């Protein structure tokens, strides 16, 4: 009788006859892919060469400025001469701006992340730069430079040949047409990329144990902020404007208004929301996370149990250190419901490692139904709990929410007796 194949996953079997070093093996292909990807660093010297070119334009600017001042002081410059000299200075500055855009945007897009998230001087356009956006911005910058050159011709029209004026105008119109076509094409391309990211991006970027966004607002095509919000894994789309603080006995509204600026992310500080169930801790944590996404920060949300499972899986696979390092790419991590579900086994120590790793490196928002004095019940060890609180609260805004649960406000006192969390 023939042996019946009971393997449920026959496609996962590897033929024994295939050599381990087969060129088509996944490990070999991954090695080749990594090697090819590493060649992007060959472009790095090109960008440093553009930095040297930027220095040349700085010299040219001050040289032109010195000649202008010299001519004005000596009385050799009339109004037309001054206007032409100023236009030359503007021309140099615009080209230098174009160089900055290519250096910073091109390096960020094609070589390596620069890591300016949270920096107070981060350019607005850099938070959503890609090859498509960069091409459009370069085209519009070239149109601006061409406009200045054409204006110089018309200011000095008496000394400019008609042939030069004609061709200058034609070339300028060609630049305008090219920029308009690129801008028109960028709309469908951005929509296509946005749909692709929605279908594949968030799921592939998130590791097991972290939920995807299950409910949220309509996505704006091409919006980098919306992409960050979608990828953060929020359980629902919450905003601060939706939060009802009329039942709060504490904190005062000024505290929430201060936190709404999400300045603590730039300072690598933390926020800890403490309070009984139903007081709005998760709502505020998600709302601040959404604000952080809109401010250009990468955010990741999960409950304490999900974080413990994620880190536990990473440790079991021998990649805990790499996983913790990968999480450094996120400016803000949100740990929700700490204390709601008992942490067992290595979970308390893994959460402590996460808190310790991010201490003075990046921000966290933590919500818990227990005051700090009872966190040993969560971590199961007084020493670990004390060390976790020490690191988390050092640069933190600790907010205790004092209010009746919004879920039971319509019930009588006898019906809600015993529902409040102990300690609050």
């Amino acid at each position: 009788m023939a042996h019946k194949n009971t393997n449920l996953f026959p496609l996962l079997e590897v033929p024994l006859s295939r050599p381990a070093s087969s060129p088509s093996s996944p490990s070999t292909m991954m090695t080749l892919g990594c090697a090819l990807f590493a060649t992007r660093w060959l472009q790095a010297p090109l960008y440093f060469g553009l930095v040297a070119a930027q220095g040349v334009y700085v010299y040219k600017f001050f040289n032109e400025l010195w000649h202008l001042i010299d001519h004005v002081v000596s009385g050799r410059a009339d109004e037309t001469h001054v206007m032409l000299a100023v236009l030359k200075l503007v021309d140099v500055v615009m080209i230098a701006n174009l160089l900055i855009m290519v250096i910073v945007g091109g390096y960020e897009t094609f070589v390596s992340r620069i890591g300016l998230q949270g920096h107070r001087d981060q350019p607005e356009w850099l938070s959503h730069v890609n090859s498509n956006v960069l091409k459009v911005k370069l085209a519009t910058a070239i149109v601006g430079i061409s406009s200045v050159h054409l204006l110089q011709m018309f200011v000095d029209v008496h000394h400019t040949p008609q042939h030069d004026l004609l061709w200058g105008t034609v070339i300028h119109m060609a630049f305008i047409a090219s920029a308009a076509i690129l801008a028109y094409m960028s709309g469908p391309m951005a929509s296509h990329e946005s749909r692709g990211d929605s279908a594949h991006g968030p799921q592939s970027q998130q590791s097991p144990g972290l939920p995807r966004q299950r409910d949220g607002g309509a996505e704006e095509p091409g919006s980098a902020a919306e992409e960050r919000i979608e990828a953060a894994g929020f359980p629902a789309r919450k905003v601060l404007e939706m939060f009802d603080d009329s039942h709060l006995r504490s904190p005062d509204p000024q505290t929430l208004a201060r936190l709404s600026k999400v300045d603590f992310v730039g300072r690598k500080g933390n926020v800890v929301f403490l309070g009984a169930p139903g007081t709005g801790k998760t709502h505020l944590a998600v709302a601040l996370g959404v604000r952080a996404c809109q401010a250009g920060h990468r955010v990741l949300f999960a409950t304490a149990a999900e974080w413990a499972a994620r880190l536990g899986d990473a440790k079991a696979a021998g990649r805990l250190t790499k996983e913790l390092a990968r999480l450094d790419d996120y400016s803000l991590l949100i740990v929700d419901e700490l204390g709601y579900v008992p942490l067992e086994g290595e979970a308390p120590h893994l959460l402590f490692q996460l808190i310790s790793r991010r201490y003075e490196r990046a921000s966290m928002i933590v919500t818990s139904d227990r005051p700090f004095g009872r966190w040993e019940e969560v971590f199961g060890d007084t020493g670990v709990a004390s060390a976790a609180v020490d690191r988390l609260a050092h640069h933190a805004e600790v907010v205790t929410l004092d209010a009746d649960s919004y879920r039971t406000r319509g019930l009588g006192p006898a019906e809600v007796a015993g529902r409040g969390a102990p300690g609050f």
Side-chain angles (χ1 to χ4, degrees):
M1 180 181 293
H3 177 68
K4 185 179 180 180
N5 184 7
T6 59
N7 185 5
L8 297 179
F9 305 100
L11 295 179
L12 297 182
E13 291 183 345
V14 179
L16 297 177
S17 59
R18 177 181 291 180
S21 59
S22 171
S24 60
S25 65
S27 59
T28 303
M29 297 302 294
M30 183 177 295
T31 302
L32 290 174
C34 291
L36 289 174
F37 185 59
T39 60
R40 71 192 190 280
W41 290 105
L42 293 175
Q43 294 189 58
L46 305 182
Y47 291 101
F48 286 104
L50 291 179
V51 172
Q54 181 91 337
V56 172
Y57 271 97
V58 171
Y59 169 78
K60 182 176 177 61
F61 177 89
F62 284 103
N63 189 42
E64 293 286 349
L65 181 62
W66 170 254
H67 285 304
L68 172 61
I69 294 174
D70 180 56
H71 280 73
V72 171
V73 171
S74 61
R76 292 176 292 164
D78 56 13
E79 184 178 354
T80 301
H81 184 276
V82 172
M83 185 178 298
L84 287 171
V86 170
L87 286 175
K88 284 184 179 179
L89 295 178
V90 172
D91 189 24
V92 171
V93 171
M94 293 184 70
I95 296 177
N97 290 341
L98 179 64
L99 278 174
I100 283 291
M101 195 178 300
V102 173
I103 292 170
V104 179
Y107 188 91
E108 169 92 6
T109 303
F110 300 107
V111 180
S112 179
R113 291 182 182 273
I114 299 178
L116 294 177
Q117 290 81 4
H119 194 283
R120 64 180 182 179
D121 295 328
Q122 179 188 1
E124 182 274 334
W125 57 268
L126 189 58
S127 64
H128 54 266
V129 69
N130 54 45
S131 57
N132 186 39
V133 172
L134 193 59
K135 284 187 290 186
V136 174
K137 288 188 175 293
L138 291 178
T140 53
I142 291 172
V143 169
I145 295 171
S146 175
S147 301
V148 174
H149 277 284
L150 193 61
L151 182 59
Q152 286 178 291
M153 292 182 182
F154 279 105
V155 169
D156 197 25
V157 67
H158 298 295
H159 301 90
T160 305
Q162 187 176 2
H163 178 271
D164 291 349
L165 282 175
L166 175 62
W167 280 108
T169 304
V170 171
I171 292 172
H172 180 64
M173 295 305 296
F175 284 144
I176 292 177
S178 299
I181 292 172
L182 275 175
Y184 175 77
M185 292 174 61
S186 68
M189 292 173 66
S191 299
H192 175 74
E193 291 176 1
S194 178
R195 286 194 297 270
D197 290 343
S198 299
H200 305 290
Q203 187 173 7
S204 62
Q205 290 171 2
Q206 289 177 245
S207 299
L210 286 181
R212 294 181 60 190
Q213 183 175 354
R214 296 183 285 275
D215 181 25
E219 180 177 339
E220 179 185 349
S223 171
E226 288 299 321
E227 292 174 5
R228 287 190 291 270
I229 293 170
E230 175 70 22
F234 296 123
R237 179 71 171 264
K238 302 288 186 180
V239 295
L240 289 170
E241 290 76 13
M242 294 167 53
F243 184 73
D244 180 14
D245 60 357
S246 60
H247 296 277
L248 278 181
R249 292 182 285 272
S250 70
D252 56 86
Q254 287 75 16
T255 299
L256 301 181
R258 183 174 66 254
L259 292 176
S260 68
K261 301 176 182 178
V262 294
D263 294 340
F264 64 91
V265 180
R267 299 193 304 268
K268 299 178 174 58
N270 304 317
V271 176
V272 181
F273 290 115
L274 304 174
T279 53
K281 301 184 297 298
T282 300
H283 184 134
L284 290 174
V286 171
L288 291 182
V290 170
R291 282 285 178 91
C293 290
Q294 293 169 340
H297 303 291
R298 297 183 69 195
V299 180
L300 212 50
F301 176 100
T303 65
E306 288 168 339
W307 280 115
R310 176 194 183 113
L311 297 176
D313 291 344
K315 184 174 182 180
R319 53 178 178 83
L320 178 60
T321 302
K322 290 184 179 179
E323 180 68 10
L324 291 172
R326 196 182 77 82
L327 292 174
D328 289 344
D329 292 337
Y330 293 87
S331 302
L332 175 62
L333 298 184
I334 301 177
V335 181
D336 194 32
E337 298 180 349
L338 182 64
Y340 282 64
V341 178
L343 300 177
E344 300 176 349
E346 292 184 318
H349 295 276
L350 293 173
L351 274 182
F352 169 74
Q353 289 188 58
L354 179 64
I355 294 172
S356 179
R357 170 84 183 190
R358 296 185 68 82
Y359 174 63
E360 295 186 334
R361 284 189 179 188
S363 298
M364 297 182 73
I365 294 178
V366 178
T367 73
S368 177
D369 65 337
R370 301 163 192 257
F372 286 143
R374 296 184 56 202
W375 276 26
E376 72 274 4
E377 301 172 6
V378 179
F379 287 90
D381 183 281
T382 303
V384 175
S386 177
V389 170
D390 181 66
R391 287 163 175 76
L392 189 64
H394 182 207
H395 300 294
E397 179 95 21
V398 181
V399 180
T400 299
L401 300 177
D402 182 14
D404 298 325
S405 172
Y406 68 88
R407 302 184 184 95
T408 59
R409 283 171 189 163
L411 302 179
E415 295 173 288
V416 298
R419 284 179 176 257
F424 288 101

